[in-house]
């Protein structure tokens, strides 16, 4: 069998033809194909205005996708990312509008509340041994309810904090390169993606995330404090949900407490389309970002083409199934 | 379509050309060739099976035994070659066709549905019906299953859930299922790997019965003593080729081993030296449920302490309890003379203890990760700057050193661990613990699933570690392994230590006597 072992030799810097790379390549090709298709067949799709729309829509789902990707690679799942995002937005609203504190404290409020909620989910999963699906299903409702309670079920506006706009819709790059308009939120998303990617591939936490997702018991028997790292993973994921909360509320100039349900499914879909395995142990941040772009290009493109809103949902479902099938097919070939 | 008609359909390739040379053969495979990408798995392999014989198929891991049997049972298709069943040339396009030809396989891992009863498992997909075919005729199904069990001379309740049975009984259900298809050829892949001695006896009795009824059995195994007992003929494969087929009677074990490895192995030797007087580990009055009862022992520096016993004697449970993998009810553990409170594997590792599970794929390795990551996993914290960022260059350098030190065969340290052979995977696990500076090592079945040649290498490695002052516990069900490695031998039976033997004077008989104590009472 040494022969087989040698033929499967894979170099460290994964060569171009590793499955992960292939998958991202396939996803990227699909994205480009969609862009070309809609540019040709949907009038005004290619307009810069519309591109800005797509990017802004992707920013929120992309960041949530990254949050859930970390958890999925660690062998878990987080259904609460959508409503945790909403609760963090409400927290920012309370700090900034209700308490009248300065912007940095509002940002800190969103990030810390996200980390706390994520950490809480992680603790329930690790210490009480409640399956992640159930624990985060509970957390999803808890966060949703708390967002309504804290806000009094009314939107909180950020009119007192004009600088809040700079988090997402404003385009700071325009002052550097006149004429170019890219909302800040897009840069925030790429920033989050890069940091998460570095954490995943270069940090101790990242290494443990992969080990937990691949074989938790082997990691435990290696002396790894499995519970601790699980909690840290969920906390980090929750903190990233806080970023998404800032983005979405900045874009709407308000924290909308009723928002959030359904976002978790889009986030998970982005991760899956990008090649993250729901079985854990496998996935990339870049893939998730591409997945998020595919979803928003599709949604936007179909809308511009005048396709009925409801059909978009159907198409999204089909895309998810195709993406997973491509994954399976690629894997069989290797 | 009747089973016979289906079988005929499967033989559609026809029997033109020359017939089989040996008219006695139930099954004959000739000049079988199979290539996988990058591997020539089978080279002109021949194999034949007579009705009513047990034909042992032996060879090191990767010799091609499984591939050959997968071809016989329709899982793989040969690139070329001929297969004859009952003198007629056949093609076997899939498992269903094999079944229709009366060929069944009992896999090492059983494929049963735990929440269904024995009868439901046997007749799954072809349940007898009643009420216009809308309902399952449970009564008839149970009666049919009971009749099958009776034919096999075994007592199993057809309505018992399979999940509640021992592995041995589950295996008998699998055999009954095969027979329910009127199988005349039965392939058994390491059927005794999870059975205790009594269960093995029982299985052998069933096999004798099957033989007497004219069923031909292909018996894949690594265990010499079993082959000696039940095989009529032995075929040895090596590197995808049939090396030889010999009668079991009058062929020595040494001869078979030499056929398997291509060289003669020196007779098993005994451990040298005794270890030192320094006490490294002392366990007193350890209890855990029914599995571990009042276990006390000491382990010295540089010593190899063997833990012998039958399957289920509680040896693995002792190791796991000491290592903090399972909670203990009571007992004291002293490490290097100090009382140790071990609540989790993390505590144990911090104290320099390591546990190497028999099930490396589930408990020892993270197989989709690289050799580098697996070797360093228990020590990752050491390879960080500021406890945050991994120092990958250092990881690679260090893991390379250990891979070289233990002679792990891998193209690079970046190879995924799942692609390594069993022996090399075991070395990766050993490297992990050596790098973590563990000096009290528990080896649970250190050579399970490792082929003969690599075994000797693992033995040398363990002896070398002991000579360097590591303290080693070896848990093994293979008595020659215990005898070869241990300075001292502790024998367990039903959760208790039943005796201690000197490694130099112990014999298989003396171990067996202690290991079987209490068995009479239990029965």
């Amino acid at each position: 069998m040494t022969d087989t072992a040698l033929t499967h030799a894979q170099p460290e810097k994964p060569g171009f033809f590793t499955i992960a790379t292939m998958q991202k390549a396939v996803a990227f090709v699909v994205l480009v194909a969609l862009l070309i298709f809609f540019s040709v067949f949907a009038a005004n799709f290619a307009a810069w205005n519309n591109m800005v729309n797509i990017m802004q829509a992707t920013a929120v789902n992309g960041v949530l996708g990254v949050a859930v990707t970390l958890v999925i690679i660690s062998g878990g799942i987080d259904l609460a990312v959508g409503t945790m995002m909403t609760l963090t937005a409400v927290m920012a609203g309370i700090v900034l509008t209700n308490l009248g504190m300065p912007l940095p404290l509002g940002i800190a409020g969103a990030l810390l509340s996200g980390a706390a909620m994520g950490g809480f989910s992680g603790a329930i999963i690790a210490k009480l041994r409640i399956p992640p699906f159930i624990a985060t299903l509970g957390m999803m409702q808890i966060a949703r309810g708390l967002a309504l309670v804290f806000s009094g079920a009314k939107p909180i506006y950020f009119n007192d904090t004009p600088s809040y706009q700079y988090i997402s819709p404003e385009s700071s790059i325009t002052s550097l390169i006149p004429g170019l308009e890219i909302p800040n939120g897009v840069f925030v998303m790429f920033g989050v993606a890069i940091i998460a990617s570095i954490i995943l591939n270069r940090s101790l936490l990242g290494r443990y995330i992969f080990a937990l997702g691949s074989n938790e018991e082997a990691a435990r028997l290696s002396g790894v404090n499995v519970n601790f790292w699980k909690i840290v993973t969920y906390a980090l994921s929750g903190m990233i949900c806080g970023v998404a909360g800032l983005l979405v509320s900045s874009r709407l100039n308000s924290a909308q407490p009723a928002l959030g349900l359904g976002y978790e499914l889009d986030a998970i879909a982005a991760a899956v389309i990008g090649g993250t395995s729901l079985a854990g142990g496998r996935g990339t941040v870049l893939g998730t970002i591409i997945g998020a772009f595919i979803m928003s290009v599709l949604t936007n493109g179909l809308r511009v083409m005048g396709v009925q809103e409801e059909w978009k949902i159907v198409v999204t479902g089909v895309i998810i199934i195709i993406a997973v099938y491509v994954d399976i097919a690629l894997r069989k070939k290797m | 379509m009747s089973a016979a008609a289906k079988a005929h359909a499967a033989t559609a390739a026809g029997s033109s050309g020359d017939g089989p040379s040996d008219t006695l053969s139930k099954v004959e495979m000739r000049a079988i060739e199979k290539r996988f990408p990058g591997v020539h798995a089978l080279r002109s392999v021949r194999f034949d099976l007579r009705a009513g014989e047990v034909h042992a198929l032996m060879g090191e891991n990767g010799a091609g035994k499984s591939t050959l049997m997968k071809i016989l049972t329709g899982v793989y298709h040969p690139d070329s070659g001929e297969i004859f069943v009952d003198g007629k040339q056949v093609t076997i396009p899939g498992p269903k066709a094999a079944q229709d030809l009366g060929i069944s396989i009992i896999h090492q891992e059983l494929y049963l549905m735990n929440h269904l009863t024995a009868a439901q498992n046997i007749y799954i997909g072809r349940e007898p019906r009643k009420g216009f075919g809308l309902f399952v005729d449970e009564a008839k199904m149970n009666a049919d299953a009971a009749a099958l069990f009776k034919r096999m001379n075994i007592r199993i309740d057809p309505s018992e859930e399979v999940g509640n049975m021992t592995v041995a009984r589950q295996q008998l259900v699998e055999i009954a299922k095969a027979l329910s298809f009127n199988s005349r050829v039965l392939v058994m892949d390491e059927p005794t790997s999870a059975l205790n001695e009594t269960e093995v006896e029982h299985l052998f009795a069933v096999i004798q019965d099957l033989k007497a009824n004219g069923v031909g059995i292909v018996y894949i195994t690594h265990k010499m003593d079993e082959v000696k007992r039940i095989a009529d003929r032995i075929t040895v494969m090596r590197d995808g080729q049939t090396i030889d087929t010999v009668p079991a009677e009058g062929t020595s074990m040494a001869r078979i081993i030499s056929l398997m490895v291509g060289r003669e192995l020196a007779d098993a030797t005994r451990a040298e030296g005794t270890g030192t007087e320094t006490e490294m580990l002392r366990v007193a009055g350890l209890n855990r449920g029914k599995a571990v009862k009042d276990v006390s022992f000491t382990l010295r520096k540089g010593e190899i302490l063997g833990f012998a016993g039958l399957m289920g004697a509680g040896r693995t449970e002792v190791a796991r309890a000491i290592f903090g993998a399972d909670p203990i009810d009571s007992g004291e553990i002293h490490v290097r003379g100090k009382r140790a409170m071990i609540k989790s594997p993390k505590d144990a590792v911090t104290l320099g203890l390591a546990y190497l599970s028999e099930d490396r794929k589930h408990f020892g390795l993270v197989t989709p990760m690289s050799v580098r990551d697996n070797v360093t996993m228990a020590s990752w914290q050491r390879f960080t700057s500021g406890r945050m960022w991994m120092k990958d260059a250092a990881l690679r350098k260090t893991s390379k050193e250990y891979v070289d030190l233990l002679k792990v065969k891998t193209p690079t340290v970046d190879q995924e661990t799942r692609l390594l052979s069993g022996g090399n995977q075991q070395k990766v696990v050993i490297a992990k613990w050596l790098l973590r500076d563990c000096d009290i090592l528990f080896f649970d079945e250190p050579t399970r699933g490792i082929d003969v040649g690599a075994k000797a290498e693992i033995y040398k490695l363990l002896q070398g570690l002991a000579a360097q002052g590591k303290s080693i516990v070896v848990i093994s069900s293979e008595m020659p392994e215990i005898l070869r490695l241990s300075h001292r031998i502790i024998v367990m039976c039903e959760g208790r230590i039943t005796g201690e033997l000197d490694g130099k004077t112990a014999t298989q008989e003396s171990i067996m006597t202690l290991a079987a104590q209490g068995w009479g009472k239990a029965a």
Side-chain angles (χ1 to χ4, degrees):
Chain A
M1 291 316 268
T2 7
D3 293 3
T4 15
L6 289 170
T7 52
H8 284 92
Q10 281 169 8
E12 138 70 356
K13 295 283 166 205
F16 190 75
F17 287 105
T18 63
I19 297 168
T21 323
M22 287 263 286
Q23 211 158 25
K24 272 179 282 182
V26 169
F28 190 73
V29 168
V30 169
L31 177 59
V32 171
L34 282 174
L35 284 170
I36 293 172
F37 174 85
F38 286 123
S39 303
V40 173
F41 292 101
N44 301 329
F45 173 82
W48 186 248
N49 255 353
N50 192 45
M51 288 295 136
V52 170
N53 275 339
I54 290 176
M55 285 191 277
Q56 263 204 327
T58 311
V60 173
N61 189 28
V63 169
L64 278 187
V66 170
V68 85
T69 297
L70 299 180
V71 169
I72 293 176
I73 296 176
S74 82
I77 188 80
D78 197 340
L79 299 177
V81 291
T83 56
M84 287 200 316
M85 167 190 85
T86 307
L87 184 51
T88 59
V90 167
M91 292 309 281
I94 289 172
V95 171
L96 296 176
T97 305
N98 299 9
L99 303 177
M101 299 214 206
L103 183 63
L105 286 181
I107 293 174
L111 299 184
L112 291 181
S113 59
M117 280 185 287
F120 185 65
S121 293
I124 294 174
I125 292 161
K127 298 283 185 190
L128 305 185
R129 311 224 162 277
I130 295 178
F133 189 94
I134 305 296
T136 59
L137 185 68
M139 195 63 210
M140 168 170 136
Q141 297 293 39
I142 293 172
R144 182 174 163 225
L146 286 181
L148 291 166
V149 171
F150 290 162
S151 63
K154 284 194 289 280
I156 305 175
Y157 292 91
F158 294 100
N159 295 332
D160 303 341
T161 321
S163 52
Y164 201 67
Q165 294 292 305
Y166 279 95
I167 295 175
S168 185
E170 285 290 331
S171 171
S172 301
I173 198 167
T174 314
S175 59
L176 288 173
I177 310 167
L180 182 65
E181 194 204 329
I182 298 174
N184 289 351
V186 176
F187 292 104
V188 171
M189 174 186 74
F190 282 116
V192 166
I194 289 166
I195 292 169
S197 199
I198 292 172
I199 289 177
L200 207 47
N201 295 310
R202 290 271 165 262
S203 80
L204 184 61
L205 171 63
R207 211 59 54 108
Y208 282 136
I209 287 177
F210 278 107
L212 287 182
S214 306
N215 191 342
E216 184 178 330
E217 190 58 14
R220 186 175 84 97
L221 291 176
S222 296
V224 174
N225 191 340
V226 168
N227 287 350
F228 172 78
W229 292 105
K230 229 185 238 182
I231 294 170
V232 171
T233 305
Y234 279 88
L236 175 64
S237 166
M239 187 188 255
I240 298 173
C241 291
V243 176
L246 292 169
L247 288 176
V248 77
S249 56
S250 165
R251 187 178 167 202
L252 302 171
N253 193 32
S254 62
Q256 298 283 347
L259 198 78
L261 269 189
Y263 277 67
E264 69 285 342
L265 295 183
D266 284 347
I268 293 169
V272 168
I273 291 171
T276 296
S277 160
L278 283 177
R282 201 156 55 74
T284 59
V285 168
L286 177 58
T288 299
I289 296 293
I290 296 174
F293 266 108
I294 287 180
M295 290 190 46
S296 42
V297 163
L298 206 67
T299 311
N300 179 286
L302 292 174
R303 183 189 303 142
V304 174
M305 276 179 86
V307 175
Q308 201 184 332
E309 186 85 10
E310 289 74 10
W311 278 110
K312 282 169 1 204
I313 307 173
V314 176
V315 172
T316 317
V318 172
I319 289 286
I320 292 171
I321 292 168
I322 293 174
V324 174
Y325 176 71
V326 167
D327 177 33
I328 293 169
L330 279 178
R331 223 148 267 285
K332 249 189 209 152
K333 263 192 175 170
M334 300 301 281
Chain B
M1 201 160 49
S2 74
K6 279 183 203 161
H8 186 75
T11 63
S15 54
S16 60
D18 49 351
S21 53
D22 185 350
T23 44
L24 280 172
S25 291
K26 178 76 191 158
V27 171
E28 187 176 357
M29 303 175 82
R30 278 198 211 158
I32 304 289
E33 287 276 334
K34 181 71 185 172
R35 284 168 186 277
F36 294 111
V39 199
H40 199 163
L42 296 179
R43 302 162 202 249
S44 190
V45 168
R46 59 175 171 72
F47 181 79
D48 77 290
L49 178 73
R50 296 173 192 151
E53 81 161 341
V54 174
H55 193 155
L57 187 53
M58 305 191 73
E60 298 192 17
N61 291 338
K65 297 166 297 188
S66 305
T67 309
L68 185 67
M69 288 304 116
K70 280 181 178 161
I71 285 173
L72 182 60
T73 50
V75 177
Y76 292 156
H77 307 292
D79 297 339
S80 66
E82 297 170 320
I83 304 173
F84 297 90
V85 174
D86 290 326
K88 280 193 216 110
Q89 191 173 357
V90 296
T91 54
I92 307 178
K96 186 80 178 68
Q99 219 165 54
D100 293 339
L101 287 165
I103 302 169
S104 290
I105 184 163
I106 312 291
H107 291 276
Q108 206 173 344
E109 293 99 28
L110 303 174
Y111 290 94
L112 293 170
M113 282 140 279
N114 280 337
H115 295 290
L116 299 188
T117 67
Q120 285 166 347
N121 266 288
I122 291 172
Y123 293 104
I124 188 90
R126 54 202 174 106
E127 296 85 353
R129 307 288 183 82
K130 63 180 180 186
F132 308 105
L134 289 175
F135 299 96
V136 175
D137 189 345
E138 293 276 349
K140 180 174 188 320
M141 203 162 74
N142 283 336
D144 289 354
L148 263 178
F149 293 145
K150 188 145 187 284
R151 236 174 70 202
M152 290 167 65
N153 274 326
I154 53 176
R155 263 181 299 166
I156 288 180
D157 178 0
S159 60
E160 188 183 349
E161 265 189 34
V162 160
N164 297 335
M165 297 180 184
T166 61
V167 175
R169 293 171 80 74
Q170 292 179 351
Q171 200 172 46
L172 294 175
V173 172
E174 278 263 29
I175 295 173
K177 182 174 176 180
L179 294 179
S180 74
F181 284 103
N182 286 319
S183 292
R184 308 302 294 160
V185 174
L186 213 51
V187 180
M188 295 187 172
D189 191 358
E190 305 220 25
T192 58
S193 57
L195 306 189
N196 68 34
E197 310 260 328
T198 337
E199 291 166 340
V200 169
E201 290 306 319
H202 200 152
L203 177 70
F204 284 178
V206 170
I207 289 177
Q208 293 298 349
D209 268 5
L210 294 174
K211 266 180 70 170
N213 285 316
V215 175
I217 292 168
V218 183
Y219 194 95
I220 301 177
T221 186
H222 281 116
K223 298 182 185 168
M224 294 295 166
D225 50 329
E226 290 181 1
V227 171
K228 287 308 264 182
R229 283 199 46 197
I230 60 160
D232 299 300
R233 287 191 297 160
I234 301 166
T235 290
V236 175
M237 290 184 71
R238 188 172 76 229
D239 301 329
Q241 286 170 300
T242 311
I243 300 302
D244 204 355
T245 299
V246 295
E249 224 174 273
T251 307
S252 71
M253 284 195 198
R255 166 99 181 111
I256 297 168
I257 293 181
S258 74
L259 288 174
M260 281 165 66
V261 300
R263 58 186 181 273
E264 300 276 349
L265 277 187
D267 261 17
T269 46
R270 292 288 173 114
E272 282 170 23
T274 54
T276 65
E277 286 304 312
T278 322
E279 186 179 292
M280 291 298 284
L281 177 72
R282 185 152 60 83
V283 175
L286 190 72
N287 281 289
R288 170 175 161 73
K290 285 181 187 162
V292 181
K293 293 173 197 157
D294 195 27
V295 166
S296 306
F297 69 94
T298 58
L299 175 66
R300 296 194 281 262
K301 192 173 164 69
E303 179 183 48
I304 300 183
L305 178 62
F307 262 72
L310 302 174
M311 205 72 67
R315 297 162 300 164
T316 297
E317 289 77 4
V318 167
R320 284 182 60 98
I322 295 170
F323 190 63
D326 301 321
I328 62 173
D329 299 335
S330 64
E332 284 185 19
I333 298 165
H334 297 259
V335 179
R336 292 182 206 84
K338 272 195 216 119
R339 175 85 193 266
M341 301 306 280
I342 300 173
K343 294 224 164 352
S344 70
K346 183 172 172 279
D347 298 339
V349 171
T350 312
L351 287 164
L353 270 64
Y355 170 66
L356 292 88
S357 167
E358 58 187 315
D359 189 347
R360 289 180 288 276
K361 288 198 179 91
H362 287 114
F363 302 130
L365 294 164
V366 181
T367 50
M369 295 183 91
S370 64
V371 169
R372 177 197 62 197
D373 279 339
N374 273 288
V375 169
T376 53
M377 178 167 297
S379 322
W380 276 345
Q381 310 237 10
R382 256 206 268 153
F383 292 90
T384 54
S385 46
R387 307 218 118 211
M388 255 306 265
W389 305 107
M390 301 301 287
K391 293 193 231 161
D392 272 324
L395 280 184
R396 185 168 300 111
K397 183 165 165 288
T398 307
S399 54
K400 180 89 177 61
E401 282 168 20
Y402 276 80
V403 159
D404 292 345
L405 181 72
L406 300 185
K407 300 191 178 66
V408 181
K409 270 187 217 130
T410 176
T412 72
V413 295
D414 304 310
Q415 176 86 333
E416 280 181 49
T417 319
R418 68 186 168 87
L419 300 172
L420 266 51
S421 70
N424 285 305
Q425 288 184 342
Q426 181 67 297
K427 288 183 186 174
V428 170
V429 184
I430 296 173
K432 170 169 80 177
W433 294 117
L434 295 183
L435 174 59
R436 187 65 177 73
D437 286 331
C438 288
D439 49 8
I440 301 172
L441 305 159
F442 287 81
F443 285 86
D444 200 344
E445 304 286 356
T447 61
R448 171 155 300 171
I450 292 176
D451 55 43
V452 179
K455 267 187 186 182
E457 231 183 309
I458 297 286
Y459 293 154
K460 250 173 76 187
L461 191 56
L462 295 193
Q463 284 161 339
L465 291 174
Q468 288 164 32
K470 307 275 184 199
S471 307
I472 295 175
V473 170
V474 171
I475 298 170
S476 176
S477 297
E478 293 181 37
M479 277 194 273
E481 182 164 296
I482 290 271
L483 287 170
R484 173 167 180 174
L485 287 172
S486 313
H487 297 125
R488 272 190 308 143
I489 299 165
I490 285 176
V491 188
M492 285 188 71
C493 177
E494 296 186 331
R496 290 181 194 283
I497 292 180
T498 49
E500 187 182 316
L501 300 165
D502 187 319
K504 287 198 178 60
T505 56
T507 60
Q508 297 216 13
E509 290 73 24
S510 62
I511 294 176
M512 205 56 210
T513 314
L514 290 169
Q517 264 183 19
W519 263 94
K521 277 179 274 166

